PDB file of all heavy atoms in Angstrom:
ATOM      1  N   GLU A  71      -6.387  -1.404   3.353  1.00 98.00           N
ATOM      2  CA  GLU A  71      -4.951  -1.641   3.216  1.00 98.00           C
ATOM      3  C   GLU A  71      -4.294  -1.523   4.581  1.00 98.00           C
ATOM      4  O   GLU A  71      -4.534  -0.556   5.317  1.00 98.00           O
ATOM      5  CB  GLU A  71      -4.293  -0.649   2.245  1.00 98.00           C
ATOM      6  CG  GLU A  71      -2.775  -0.894   2.133  1.00 98.00           C
ATOM      7  CD  GLU A  71      -2.059  -0.066   1.076  1.00 98.00           C
ATOM      8  OE1 GLU A  71      -2.693   0.790   0.435  1.00 98.00           O
ATOM      9  OE2 GLU A  71      -0.836  -0.304   0.900  1.00 98.00           O
ATOM     10  N   ASN A 131       1.097  -4.981   2.179  1.00 98.00           N
ATOM     11  CA  ASN A 131       2.252  -4.682   1.337  1.00 98.00           C
ATOM     12  C   ASN A 131       3.379  -5.689   1.556  1.00 98.00           C
ATOM     13  O   ASN A 131       3.720  -6.005   2.696  1.00 98.00           O
ATOM     14  CB  ASN A 131       2.794  -3.283   1.666  1.00 98.00           C
ATOM     15  CG  ASN A 131       1.819  -2.198   1.281  1.00 98.00           C
ATOM     16  OD1 ASN A 131       1.685  -1.837   0.121  1.00 98.00           O
ATOM     17  ND2 ASN A 131       1.093  -1.682   2.273  1.00 98.00           N
ATOM     18  N   GLU A 163       0.139  -6.799  -1.840  1.00 98.00           N
ATOM     19  CA  GLU A 163       0.540  -5.729  -2.764  1.00 98.00           C
ATOM     20  C   GLU A 163       2.035  -5.821  -3.037  1.00 98.00           C
ATOM     21  O   GLU A 163       2.849  -5.810  -2.128  1.00 98.00           O
ATOM     22  CB  GLU A 163       0.211  -4.356  -2.166  1.00 98.00           C
ATOM     23  CG  GLU A 163      -1.262  -4.167  -1.914  1.00 98.00           C
ATOM     24  CD  GLU A 163      -1.632  -2.722  -1.563  1.00 98.00           C
ATOM     25  OE1 GLU A 163      -0.760  -1.828  -1.654  1.00 98.00           O
ATOM     26  OE2 GLU A 163      -2.800  -2.502  -1.190  1.00 98.00           O
ATOM     27  N   ASP A 193       1.212  -2.603  -6.813  1.00 95.00           N
ATOM     28  CA  ASP A 193       1.089  -1.322  -6.112  1.00 95.00           C
ATOM     29  C   ASP A 193       1.748  -0.206  -6.937  1.00 95.00           C
ATOM     30  O   ASP A 193       2.694  -0.463  -7.676  1.00 95.00           O
ATOM     31  CB  ASP A 193       1.813  -1.448  -4.761  1.00 95.00           C
ATOM     32  CG  ASP A 193       1.314  -0.455  -3.740  1.00 95.00           C
ATOM     33  OD1 ASP A 193       0.483   0.418  -4.080  1.00 95.00           O
ATOM     34  OD2 ASP A 193       1.761  -0.552  -2.581  1.00 95.00           O
TER      35      ASP A 193
HETATM   36 MG1  LIG B  28       0.351  -0.378  -0.847  1.00 67.47          MG
END
Side-chain angles (χ1 to χ4, degrees):
E71 179 173 4
N131 293 282
E163 299 191 8
D193 203 354

